Amino acid sequence: MPKARSIPSLTGVRGIAALWVFMTHFYGLAADILHQPWMLQSLFLFNGFRGVDLFFVLSGFILMHVHEGQFTVLRWHVVRDFFIVRFFRVYPLNTFVLLAMVPLVLLAPGYVAMQRYYADPAFAYRAHNLSLPGFVQTLLLVQSWTVLKLGEWNIVSWTLSAEVLGYILFPLLAMWAMRISSPRNALALCACSLVTLVVVLFACHHANNNPTGTFGAIRMFFCFAAGILLYRAYHLLPDSMERHASSITSGAVIFIAATLFFPVVPVLDVFGFTALIFGLAYQRGAVDALLRSGPVIWLGRISFSFYLTHYLLIGIISWSLGEGLRHLDLASGLAVTFAIFGLCLIVGTVCYHLVERPSQRLGRRVMQRVEARDAMIGARRTA
């Protein structure tokens, strides 16, 4: 059955997720600047890292939405075109940010020392941060594929590494999902994927923290697979599901908000994220209207660039100005807090327009040239 090709609110929800991740990275510094120690106890701010799981579920859902039907069987040219577009989606911006860090690492030993500092033996791997092997690993975006601790650069890029692994697996996962003919089975498998993730997180003592690295790839796989299966169910379900969409999205928001009053319970937010994405796909209700509003859509569009640059900016500000900022009065602290947020938005916007969008256009041109070459070769063979 035909479904909407454009779902603006899913762009908006990506922006909200990026904003939540920003909050979890910024609230420690903000609490010092504003002299508000209660912020350090906020479950809402602490759990912002769970926005990454929303990204992973959303990624699987959107990729199935965009590439629906292309992977019923594996065809070389389809898989190749998919990888070309995905490469230009993540690697150019990651490389740009990484290269921008090089002068800072070479010229600011104090910043390097801060990034390598650790007090807990569990974080001893930080001693290798900003190393040359870590640079190579981050450049290739393979840091989540191995248990080796070669050193982190732009720390948030671990999610891109996990995402690239998802891209590699996507053709096979999509082909498998396309063979599911029952929406009930698709939803059941989606739920099983999320339940498995939650069980693994509890079993490995990661239910109340933000596991990255290799375990981050595990988070990605189960969330990504859930998103793929969720879309398959959405595709197979009748149009009459639209009448429940508003209730589903509202219920998902209420569920997510309710979990944030209790420690550990937010690990279940993956179920709320999945329900939210499913409800938004039908584009009904007040939540959908909010997430498709102009400011939220704009935030969603720059979310990738904003996400990839904000942590670096916060780190630089904390290293260079942190001590002085902690002595500001409340009014000045509020102004500085909003100024830092505004700076992160500006840098994200600039990177979006000058790096992210041009690299995506370049990727499409490369793909078109490859397809034109294939057509020429095919014409010669049939001549």
Side-chain angles (χ1 to χ4, degrees), residues 52-73:
V52 170
D53 296 317
L54 193 158
F55 283 140
F56 290 148
V57 176
L58 183 61
S59 179
F61 188 92
I62 290 295
L63 285 180
M64 278 295 284
H65 181 65
V66 173
H67 298 282
E68 177 186 358
Q70 293 182 4
F71 294 105
T72 50
V73 294

PDB file of all heavy atoms in Angstrom, residues 52-73:
ATOM      1  N   VAL A  52      20.841   8.787  21.527  1.00  0.00           N
ATOM      2  CA  VAL A  52      21.595   8.024  20.527  1.00  0.00           C
ATOM      3  C   VAL A  52      20.830   6.773  20.121  1.00  0.00           C
ATOM      4  O   VAL A  52      20.813   6.389  18.948  1.00  0.00           O
ATOM      5  CB  VAL A  52      22.993   7.660  21.081  1.00  0.00           C
ATOM      6  CG1 VAL A  52      23.700   6.670  20.162  1.00  0.00           C
ATOM      7  CG2 VAL A  52      23.830   8.915  21.256  1.00  0.00           C
ATOM      8  N   ASP A  53      20.176   6.126  21.095  1.00  0.00           N
ATOM      9  CA  ASP A  53      19.378   4.942  20.762  1.00  0.00           C
ATOM     10  C   ASP A  53      18.203   5.315  19.860  1.00  0.00           C
ATOM     11  O   ASP A  53      17.821   4.553  18.969  1.00  0.00           O
ATOM     12  CB  ASP A  53      18.875   4.272  22.038  1.00  0.00           C
ATOM     13  CG  ASP A  53      20.017   3.745  22.894  1.00  0.00           C
ATOM     14  OD1 ASP A  53      20.943   3.150  22.329  1.00  0.00           O
ATOM     15  OD2 ASP A  53      19.985   3.954  24.123  1.00  0.00           O
ATOM     16  N   LEU A  54      17.638   6.500  20.094  1.00  0.00           N
ATOM     17  CA  LEU A  54      16.578   6.984  19.205  1.00  0.00           C
ATOM     18  C   LEU A  54      17.130   7.159  17.788  1.00  0.00           C
ATOM     19  O   LEU A  54      16.480   6.784  16.806  1.00  0.00           O
ATOM     20  CB  LEU A  54      16.006   8.299  19.734  1.00  0.00           C
ATOM     21  CG  LEU A  54      14.685   8.791  19.107  1.00  0.00           C
ATOM     22  CD1 LEU A  54      13.988   9.750  20.063  1.00  0.00           C
ATOM     23  CD2 LEU A  54      14.898   9.481  17.772  1.00  0.00           C
ATOM     24  N   PHE A  55      18.352   7.716  17.686  1.00  0.00           N
ATOM     25  CA  PHE A  55      19.001   7.859  16.373  1.00  0.00           C
ATOM     26  C   PHE A  55      19.090   6.507  15.666  1.00  0.00           C
ATOM     27  O   PHE A  55      18.799   6.401  14.467  1.00  0.00           O
ATOM     28  CB  PHE A  55      20.425   8.408  16.518  1.00  0.00           C
ATOM     29  CG  PHE A  55      20.514   9.876  16.795  1.00  0.00           C
ATOM     30  CD1 PHE A  55      21.455  10.351  17.693  1.00  0.00           C
ATOM     31  CD2 PHE A  55      19.703  10.788  16.157  1.00  0.00           C
ATOM     32  CE1 PHE A  55      21.571  11.704  17.956  1.00  0.00           C
ATOM     33  CE2 PHE A  55      19.799  12.140  16.412  1.00  0.00           C
ATOM     34  CZ  PHE A  55      20.743  12.600  17.316  1.00  0.00           C
ATOM     35  N   PHE A  56      19.527   5.485  16.392  1.00  0.00           N
ATOM     36  CA  PHE A  56      19.745   4.184  15.775  1.00  0.00           C
ATOM     37  C   PHE A  56      18.429   3.567  15.287  1.00  0.00           C
ATOM     38  O   PHE A  56      18.373   3.004  14.186  1.00  0.00           O
ATOM     39  CB  PHE A  56      20.430   3.242  16.762  1.00  0.00           C
ATOM     40  CG  PHE A  56      21.871   3.596  17.059  1.00  0.00           C
ATOM     41  CD1 PHE A  56      22.420   3.340  18.304  1.00  0.00           C
ATOM     42  CD2 PHE A  56      22.669   4.165  16.088  1.00  0.00           C
ATOM     43  CE1 PHE A  56      23.743   3.643  18.579  1.00  0.00           C
ATOM     44  CE2 PHE A  56      23.993   4.484  16.352  1.00  0.00           C
ATOM     45  CZ  PHE A  56      24.540   4.220  17.601  1.00  0.00           C
ATOM     46  N   VAL A  57      17.380   3.635  16.106  1.00  0.00           N
ATOM     47  CA  VAL A  57      16.074   3.107  15.682  1.00  0.00           C
ATOM     48  C   VAL A  57      15.577   3.893  14.466  1.00  0.00           C
ATOM     49  O   VAL A  57      15.106   3.314  13.469  1.00  0.00           O
ATOM     50  CB  VAL A  57      15.043   3.185  16.823  1.00  0.00           C
ATOM     51  CG1 VAL A  57      13.665   2.722  16.325  1.00  0.00           C
ATOM     52  CG2 VAL A  57      15.475   2.347  18.017  1.00  0.00           C
ATOM     53  N   LEU A  58      15.692   5.207  14.542  1.00  0.00           N
ATOM     54  CA  LEU A  58      15.235   6.070  13.452  1.00  0.00           C
ATOM     55  C   LEU A  58      16.006   5.787  12.170  1.00  0.00           C
ATOM     56  O   LEU A  58      15.437   5.782  11.078  1.00  0.00           O
ATOM     57  CB  LEU A  58      15.395   7.532  13.862  1.00  0.00           C
ATOM     58  CG  LEU A  58      14.899   8.589  12.880  1.00  0.00           C
ATOM     59  CD1 LEU A  58      13.399   8.429  12.639  1.00  0.00           C
ATOM     60  CD2 LEU A  58      15.201   9.988  13.412  1.00  0.00           C
ATOM     61  N   SER A  59      17.304   5.527  12.296  1.00  0.00           N
ATOM     62  CA  SER A  59      18.121   5.253  11.115  1.00  0.00           C
ATOM     63  C   SER A  59      17.636   4.007  10.386  1.00  0.00           C
ATOM     64  O   SER A  59      17.481   4.008   9.156  1.00  0.00           O
ATOM     65  CB  SER A  59      19.586   5.085  11.531  1.00  0.00           C
ATOM     66  OG  SER A  59      20.394   4.807  10.413  1.00  0.00           O
ATOM     67  N   GLY A  60      17.381   2.930  11.127  1.00  0.00           N
ATOM     68  CA  GLY A  60      16.875   1.720  10.484  1.00  0.00           C
ATOM     69  C   GLY A  60      15.532   1.946   9.825  1.00  0.00           C
ATOM     70  O   GLY A  60      15.279   1.471   8.708  1.00  0.00           O
ATOM     71  N   PHE A  61      14.654   2.689  10.495  1.00  0.00           N
ATOM     72  CA  PHE A  61      13.319   2.970   9.951  1.00  0.00           C
ATOM     73  C   PHE A  61      13.417   3.797   8.675  1.00  0.00           C
ATOM     74  O   PHE A  61      12.787   3.481   7.662  1.00  0.00           O
ATOM     75  CB  PHE A  61      12.495   3.715  11.007  1.00  0.00           C
ATOM     76  CG  PHE A  61      11.053   3.896  10.639  1.00  0.00           C
ATOM     77  CD1 PHE A  61      10.103   2.971  11.030  1.00  0.00           C
ATOM     78  CD2 PHE A  61      10.634   5.008   9.908  1.00  0.00           C
ATOM     79  CE1 PHE A  61       8.761   3.139  10.697  1.00  0.00           C
ATOM     80  CE2 PHE A  61       9.306   5.185   9.567  1.00  0.00           C
ATOM     81  CZ  PHE A  61       8.369   4.243   9.957  1.00  0.00           C
ATOM     82  N   ILE A  62      14.210   4.870   8.708  1.00  0.00           N
ATOM     83  CA  ILE A  62      14.316   5.763   7.550  1.00  0.00           C
ATOM     84  C   ILE A  62      14.987   5.075   6.367  1.00  0.00           C
ATOM     85  O   ILE A  62      14.567   5.247   5.209  1.00  0.00           O
ATOM     86  CB  ILE A  62      15.090   7.046   7.933  1.00  0.00           C
ATOM     87  CG1 ILE A  62      14.254   7.907   8.871  1.00  0.00           C
ATOM     88  CG2 ILE A  62      15.477   7.839   6.696  1.00  0.00           C
ATOM     89  CD1 ILE A  62      12.987   8.450   8.260  1.00  0.00           C
ATOM     90  N   LEU A  63      16.023   4.282   6.626  1.00  0.00           N
ATOM     91  CA  LEU A  63      16.684   3.590   5.515  1.00  0.00           C
ATOM     92  C   LEU A  63      15.719   2.633   4.825  1.00  0.00           C
ATOM     93  O   LEU A  63      15.718   2.528   3.590  1.00  0.00           O
ATOM     94  CB  LEU A  63      17.911   2.835   6.017  1.00  0.00           C
ATOM     95  CG  LEU A  63      19.133   3.695   6.353  1.00  0.00           C
ATOM     96  CD1 LEU A  63      20.289   2.829   6.829  1.00  0.00           C
ATOM     97  CD2 LEU A  63      19.568   4.525   5.142  1.00  0.00           C
ATOM     98  N   MET A  64      14.887   1.954   5.585  1.00  0.00           N
ATOM     99  CA  MET A  64      13.882   1.090   4.965  1.00  0.00           C
ATOM    100  C   MET A  64      12.847   1.917   4.215  1.00  0.00           C
ATOM    101  O   MET A  64      12.384   1.529   3.136  1.00  0.00           O
ATOM    102  CB  MET A  64      13.195   0.239   6.037  1.00  0.00           C
ATOM    103  CG  MET A  64      13.978  -0.993   6.433  1.00  0.00           C
ATOM    104  SD  MET A  64      14.163  -2.213   5.117  1.00  0.00           S
ATOM    105  CE  MET A  64      12.532  -2.946   5.097  1.00  0.00           C
ATOM    106  N   HIS A  65      12.502   3.063   4.761  1.00  0.00           N
ATOM    107  CA  HIS A  65      11.531   3.944   4.103  1.00  0.00           C
ATOM    108  C   HIS A  65      12.054   4.428   2.754  1.00  0.00           C
ATOM    109  O   HIS A  65      11.327   4.436   1.761  1.00  0.00           O
ATOM    110  CB  HIS A  65      11.243   5.127   5.022  1.00  0.00           C
ATOM    111  CG  HIS A  65      10.243   6.096   4.481  1.00  0.00           C
ATOM    112  ND1 HIS A  65       8.919   5.753   4.267  1.00  0.00           N
ATOM    113  CD2 HIS A  65      10.371   7.398   4.115  1.00  0.00           C
ATOM    114  CE1 HIS A  65       8.277   6.801   3.784  1.00  0.00           C
ATOM    115  NE2 HIS A  65       9.126   7.808   3.682  1.00  0.00           N
ATOM    116  N   VAL A  66      13.330   4.797   2.728  1.00  0.00           N
ATOM    117  CA  VAL A  66      13.925   5.345   1.503  1.00  0.00           C
ATOM    118  C   VAL A  66      14.232   4.253   0.491  1.00  0.00           C
ATOM    119  O   VAL A  66      14.047   4.441  -0.719  1.00  0.00           O
ATOM    120  CB  VAL A  66      15.212   6.135   1.850  1.00  0.00           C
ATOM    121  CG1 VAL A  66      15.945   6.559   0.580  1.00  0.00           C
ATOM    122  CG2 VAL A  66      14.868   7.350   2.704  1.00  0.00           C
ATOM    123  N   HIS A  67      14.684   3.107   0.970  1.00  0.00           N
ATOM    124  CA  HIS A  67      15.156   2.057   0.060  1.00  0.00           C
ATOM    125  C   HIS A  67      14.184   0.880  -0.013  1.00  0.00           C
ATOM    126  O   HIS A  67      14.582  -0.230  -0.381  1.00  0.00           O
ATOM    127  CB  HIS A  67      16.538   1.573   0.509  1.00  0.00           C
ATOM    128  CG  HIS A  67      17.580   2.641   0.484  1.00  0.00           C
ATOM    129  ND1 HIS A  67      18.184   3.061  -0.679  1.00  0.00           N
ATOM    130  CD2 HIS A  67      18.092   3.400   1.486  1.00  0.00           C
ATOM    131  CE1 HIS A  67      19.056   4.028  -0.388  1.00  0.00           C
ATOM    132  NE2 HIS A  67      19.014   4.255   0.902  1.00  0.00           N
ATOM    133  N   GLU A  68      12.944   1.148   0.325  1.00  0.00           N
ATOM    134  CA  GLU A  68      11.915   0.110   0.306  1.00  0.00           C
ATOM    135  C   GLU A  68      11.880  -0.611  -1.051  1.00  0.00           C
ATOM    136  O   GLU A  68      11.784   0.000  -2.110  1.00  0.00           O
ATOM    137  CB  GLU A  68      10.550   0.754   0.576  1.00  0.00           C
ATOM    138  CG  GLU A  68       9.378  -0.185   0.520  1.00  0.00           C
ATOM    139  CD  GLU A  68       8.062   0.572   0.666  1.00  0.00           C
ATOM    140  OE1 GLU A  68       8.105   1.808   0.842  1.00  0.00           O
ATOM    141  OE2 GLU A  68       7.009  -0.060   0.597  1.00  0.00           O
ATOM    142  N   GLY A  69      11.981  -1.919  -0.994  1.00  0.00           N
ATOM    143  CA  GLY A  69      11.858  -2.723  -2.212  1.00  0.00           C
ATOM    144  C   GLY A  69      13.137  -2.896  -2.992  1.00  0.00           C
ATOM    145  O   GLY A  69      13.212  -3.749  -3.894  1.00  0.00           O
ATOM    146  N   GLN A  70      14.204  -2.129  -2.693  1.00  0.00           N
ATOM    147  CA  GLN A  70      15.438  -2.237  -3.466  1.00  0.00           C
ATOM    148  C   GLN A  70      16.267  -3.461  -3.093  1.00  0.00           C
ATOM    149  O   GLN A  70      17.136  -3.875  -3.862  1.00  0.00           O
ATOM    150  CB  GLN A  70      16.292  -0.975  -3.278  1.00  0.00           C
ATOM    151  CG  GLN A  70      15.680   0.276  -3.876  1.00  0.00           C
ATOM    152  CD  GLN A  70      16.571   1.491  -3.704  1.00  0.00           C
ATOM    153  OE1 GLN A  70      17.685   1.395  -3.201  1.00  0.00           O
ATOM    154  NE2 GLN A  70      16.081   2.641  -4.119  1.00  0.00           N
ATOM    155  N   PHE A  71      16.009  -4.008  -1.907  1.00  0.00           N
ATOM    156  CA  PHE A  71      16.843  -5.107  -1.443  1.00  0.00           C
ATOM    157  C   PHE A  71      16.046  -6.397  -1.261  1.00  0.00           C
ATOM    158  O   PHE A  71      16.321  -7.190  -0.364  1.00  0.00           O
ATOM    159  CB  PHE A  71      17.528  -4.713  -0.121  1.00  0.00           C
ATOM    160  CG  PHE A  71      18.516  -3.595  -0.280  1.00  0.00           C
ATOM    161  CD1 PHE A  71      18.205  -2.315   0.149  1.00  0.00           C
ATOM    162  CD2 PHE A  71      19.745  -3.808  -0.886  1.00  0.00           C
ATOM    163  CE1 PHE A  71      19.108  -1.276   0.005  1.00  0.00           C
ATOM    164  CE2 PHE A  71      20.658  -2.777  -1.038  1.00  0.00           C
ATOM    165  CZ  PHE A  71      20.346  -1.507  -0.593  1.00  0.00           C
ATOM    166  N   THR A  72      15.050  -6.596  -2.109  1.00  0.00           N
ATOM    167  CA  THR A  72      14.349  -7.883  -2.079  1.00  0.00           C
ATOM    168  C   THR A  72      15.321  -8.998  -2.477  1.00  0.00           C
ATOM    169  O   THR A  72      15.216 -10.132  -2.006  1.00  0.00           O
ATOM    170  CB  THR A  72      13.147  -7.874  -3.034  1.00  0.00           C
ATOM    171  OG1 THR A  72      13.571  -7.400  -4.328  1.00  0.00           O
ATOM    172  CG2 THR A  72      12.060  -6.946  -2.502  1.00  0.00           C
ATOM    173  N   VAL A  73      16.247  -8.673  -3.369  1.00  0.00           N
ATOM    174  CA  VAL A  73      17.395  -9.534  -3.692  1.00  0.00           C
ATOM    175  C   VAL A  73      18.615  -8.626  -3.723  1.00  0.00           C
ATOM    176  O   VAL A  73      18.501  -7.410  -3.923  1.00  0.00           O
ATOM    177  CB  VAL A  73      17.231 -10.257  -5.052  1.00  0.00           C
ATOM    178  CG1 VAL A  73      16.078 -11.241  -5.005  1.00  0.00           C
ATOM    179  CG2 VAL A  73      17.028  -9.259  -6.184  1.00  0.00           C
TER     180      VAL A  73
END
